[in-house]
Amino acid sequence: MIRVEELEKHFGALHVLKGVSLEVQKGEVLVIIGPSGSGKSTLLRCINLLIEPDSGRVFLDGTQVNRRDIRPEWVRQQVGMVFQSFNLFAHLTALQNVTLGPIRVLGTDPTTAGAQGRKLLARVGLADKADAYPAQLSGGQQQRVAIARALAMNPKAMLFDEPTSALDPEYIREVLDAMAALARDGMTMIVVTHEMGFASEVAKRILFMDAGRIIEEGSPEEIFHSPKQERTRMFVGKILR
Amino acid sequence: MATTVAVPTRSSALRVRVSKTAIRGAEMAVGTILVILILQTVLRFNLLDEDLWKLYLPSFLDGIVLSLRYLGIILPLSVVIGFTIGWARISRFRTLSWPLSVFVDFFRGVPPIIVVIFAAVLGPSLLPARFQSQDIGIIIAALTLAMHSGAYQSEIFRAGFMSVPRGQLEAAQSLGMTNGAAMRFVVLPQALRLSIPPLANEFAVVIKDTSLLAIVGGFELFGSSFIFEQQILFSPGNQLSWIFVVWTAVALVYFVMTFAVTELLNAIDRRYHVKGLEAVTV
Ligand SMILES: Nc1ncnc2c1ncn2[C@@H]1O[C@H](COP(=O)(O)OP(=O)(O)OP(=O)(O)O)[C@@H](O)[C@H]1O
Ligand SMILES: [Mg+2]
């Protein structure tokens, strides 16, 4: 479904991605862990072309999409993204947040988009918050609206960039539950997270990234309990504690 | 902390807001009348002096009409200039940014009165001879006042744009919106809402700055009243207290214009206010 080959990215003199390759099958959940600054966010942003990689290839359904003749907007339409800081549109209600993409990008008529939007909000447990503005919602509720907003574009895959790390502890569960439900429904997902419980439960594979490279890959069991690389061991030790 | 706030229906919300404006207006009227009554007592004049108004009314009304005409040019034009420059300076047109910042710094650093004099004197000489006239000079001076305020407003709009967090643009792009659509549907509505309160302040300044046009012959309310006042001073038999009447009346008109414009913007602000929008952007 998503394949990445030899991605390279520099920010000025900073070499952030040093030849990253990965592949995610349809319906699979891939978790990426790694220390701060290792390039996890940059990798996700290169996959939906929010950032243009310096070199390397990004494939969606077998088609290379980081090409001059493919509009990045078209790629982003098909790969949803959920951000650490929610980024809900502050001037719109929860429902308007969810319907803006379908109405303005897909050209869905507002009535249909509204009905779909309400269904999606119900799916993340927020049917009663349709008319609330982001500032009136808790962090967990905002993040669930953000998930519904991404789903409204009917994406082929979803990228999650530390979706729970800005949340107060009491709101983490509800967001992880929404994501787990999504995974059960067969959504293809790449998730940057340090929630080990979630990773063990939902992901088949985990990638450990450090300093712009994928250092180790394995099942949750392997990565969390018997990592091969010293750096993985040290990092896992830290997040376990 | 998950607060559930009942979102009022549009019509009821609107009714509340309209009456808020009405209440503000009523408060202001009562306050103003009190101030005038006190002034009248202390300075011993009568704002409704019939003998004076018989003489003054034509200049007064002509002045108001001319003031409104100048404002009709200056206010909209200054907003267009300010918005365009503010936008250009945050957008990709970086090459424009340097000359625009010179423009902005120039107008912010020079007193508007000097700008008006230069514009009125030099402006027409740049035009072909058959267009040269004092009226053209005044119009050029008015346009320059619009540029002056536009320079200030560009900073207001620029600040508005810059206080919309970058994540808003990214979230819009991540839905597949083009940059244009993301700007139009996500960034712009938020930037404009954030610009309205400082814009109301700037408009209050612009309204009063139109009086500067009097010194180059644009006899709007201030100018026409000034000329009339000179006539009273030099006509034997007229009462000096009339001077107080004239300037109180003039001040009152500027006050009402300023109040009306800022209150209109405040009403728009309340109408489009979104709870928490400022909090997100602080
Ligand atoms: N737009 C940018 N311009 C310049 N440098 C950047 C930019 N985005 C990221 N970087 C730098 O690239 C490096 C990798 O950043 P990235 O956000 O991908 O790391 P990360 O693994 O997601 O870290 P974190 O866990 O803190 O989110 C960091 O050193 C960061 O400072
Ligand atoms: Mg990150």
Side-chain angles (χ1 to χ4, degrees):
Chain A
M1 164 74 54
I2 292 178
R3 194 165 83 243
V4 167
E5 291 176 357
E6 296 299 322
L7 272 196
E8 295 276 342
K9 181 69 196 177
H10 292 77
F11 287 117
L14 196 64
H15 198 175
V16 180
L17 295 182
K18 303 170 182 169
V20 174
S21 303
L22 61 81
E23 183 160 9
V24 192
Q25 303 300 327
K26 191 167 164 48
E28 188 191 357
V29 177
L30 178 71
V31 162
I32 301 177
I33 62 173
S36 183
S38 55
K40 307 177 299 291
S41 299
T42 307
L43 173 59
L44 288 193
R45 277 150 199 269
C46 282
I47 292 176
N48 73 349
L49 303 181
L50 268 181
I51 302 179
E52 197 186 343
D54 296 341
S55 64
R57 290 164 300 282
V58 179
F59 294 88
L60 188 61
D61 271 340
T63 313
Q64 187 183 344
V65 290
N66 60 331
R67 287 191 329 219
R68 289 256 171 277
D69 58 333
I70 291 188
R71 294 165 57 238
E73 290 84 13
W74 181 81
V75 180
R76 291 180 210 135
Q77 217 173 304
Q78 322 202 32
V79 183
M81 186 158 201
V82 173
F83 301 86
Q84 180 174 359
S85 47
F86 327 137
N87 296 348
L88 286 187
F89 304 132
H91 62 305
L92 301 178
T93 63
L95 183 62
Q96 290 168 334
N97 263 275
V98 177
T99 57
L100 187 69
I103 293 173
R104 298 297 174 191
V105 179
L106 303 176
T108 314
D109 81 273
T111 323
T112 317
Q116 285 169 352
R118 282 181 195 282
K119 266 188 214 143
L120 285 167
L121 283 176
R123 192 166 152 194
V124 295
L126 291 172
D128 55 334
K129 297 294 182 195
D131 296 324
Y133 284 94
Q136 300 168 326
L137 298 171
S138 74
Q141 291 170 333
Q142 289 188 55
Q143 194 61 300
R144 285 185 282 151
V145 174
I147 292 172
R149 175 176 71 179
L151 286 175
M153 296 299 292
N154 203 6
K156 291 181 173 152
M158 293 263 284
L159 311 174
F160 294 82
D161 191 1
E162 304 201 42
T164 57
S165 58
L167 291 177
D168 290 336
E170 69 261 40
Y171 299 127
I172 291 179
R173 190 72 249 163
E174 64 195 48
V175 172
L176 293 179
D177 285 348
M179 290 165 61
L182 203 55
R184 274 197 304 278
D185 292 345
M187 178 59 77
T188 310
M189 297 165 44
I190 301 181
V191 185
V192 172
T193 184
H194 295 150
E195 292 293 332
M196 313 234 316
F198 171 84
S200 307
E201 191 185 316
V202 178
K204 258 201 317 214
R205 275 187 309 138
I206 296 183
L207 300 185
F208 172 66
M209 236 181 126
D210 191 16
R213 288 198 175 83
I214 291 171
I215 304 287
E216 186 164 356
E217 173 180 346
S219 68
E221 178 65 21
E222 285 163 348
I223 295 286
F224 292 142
H225 300 295
S226 50
K228 294 189 199 67
Q229 302 288 331
E230 179 56 29
R231 271 191 278 179
T232 317
R233 201 188 332 272
M234 275 171 54
F235 180 75
V236 169
K238 265 190 230 144
I239 59 172
L240 269 178
R241 220 177 299 129
Chain B
M1 71 149 254
T3 46
T4 318
V5 177
V7 178
T9 64
R10 188 157 287 186
S11 66
S12 77
L14 204 59
R15 228 177 296 131
V16 171
R17 279 160 189 151
V18 167
S19 64
K20 212 174 203 171
T21 306
I23 290 169
R24 286 261 296 146
E27 283 170 359
M28 225 20 111
V30 171
T32 311
I33 290 171
L34 275 179
V35 169
I36 289 174
L37 287 178
I38 293 170
L39 272 180
Q40 289 196 85
T41 323
V42 175
L43 298 175
R44 304 229 184 91
F45 68 91
N46 173 13
L47 188 60
L48 304 175
D49 191 317
E50 271 181 45
D51 294 337
L52 168 72
W53 280 103
K54 259 183 229 148
L55 301 171
Y56 176 45
L57 195 60
S59 319
F60 183 70
L61 292 181
D62 287 353
I64 291 179
V65 169
L66 201 51
S67 282
L68 290 177
R69 273 204 205 142
Y70 288 146
L71 276 178
I73 304 174
I74 296 174
L75 273 186
L77 189 62
S78 65
V79 173
V80 171
I81 293 173
F83 181 80
T84 312
I85 296 180
W87 174 298
R89 288 192 68 190
I90 56 106
S91 75
R92 283 164 295 168
F93 307 116
R94 286 287 149 76
T95 34
L96 280 177
S97 192
W98 183 79
L100 288 178
S101 75
V102 172
F103 175 92
V104 171
D105 288 341
F106 172 78
F107 277 108
R108 284 200 307 178
V110 179
I113 192 162
I114 295 178
V115 172
V116 162
I117 293 172
F118 269 81
V121 175
L122 292 181
S125 68
L126 301 175
L127 294 174
R130 65 200 157 95
F131 291 124
Q132 289 182 13
S133 71
Q134 195 192 20
D135 279 354
I136 283 291
I138 299 166
I139 290 174
I140 293 177
L143 298 184
T144 319
L145 274 184
M147 288 195 248
H148 185 267
S149 176
Y152 276 91
Q153 290 178 37
S154 74
E155 291 292 286
I156 292 174
F157 285 115
R158 191 163 76 106
F161 279 114
M162 292 201 311
S163 45
V164 178
R166 197 178 156 69
Q168 296 283 308
L169 181 65
E170 286 191 334
Q173 289 173 329
S174 77
L175 294 175
M177 286 191 203
T178 58
N179 276 330
M183 259 299 168
R184 180 164 159 217
F185 299 117
V186 174
V187 178
L188 196 57
Q190 297 186 49
L192 288 183
R193 279 173 173 82
L194 295 165
S195 304
I196 290 174
L199 215 50
N201 273 333
E202 176 56 22
F203 281 8
V205 173
V206 175
I207 289 170
K208 283 167 286 188
D209 275 358
T210 51
S211 60
L212 295 173
L213 291 172
I215 58 164
V216 294
F219 295 122
E220 43 68 77
L221 182 58
F222 175 81
S224 67
S225 302
F226 186 72
I227 293 195
F228 178 77
E229 184 216 51
Q230 301 298 306
Q231 290 167 357
I232 316 178
L233 282 179
F234 298 113
S235 318
N238 291 331
Q239 303 171 31
L240 271 184
S241 74
W242 281 1
I243 293 172
F244 295 132
V245 180
V246 168
W247 293 120
T248 306
V250 170
L252 200 56
V253 173
Y254 280 110
F255 179 80
V256 169
M257 289 196 292
T258 306
F259 182 78
V261 170
T262 52
E263 203 44 42
L264 174 71
L265 280 184
N266 287 340
I268 296 175
D269 186 41
R270 284 195 294 270
R271 171 72 182 76
Y272 290 102
H273 186 77
V274 171
K275 208 164 166 290
L277 189 53
E278 2 23 34
V280 175
T281 54
V282 162

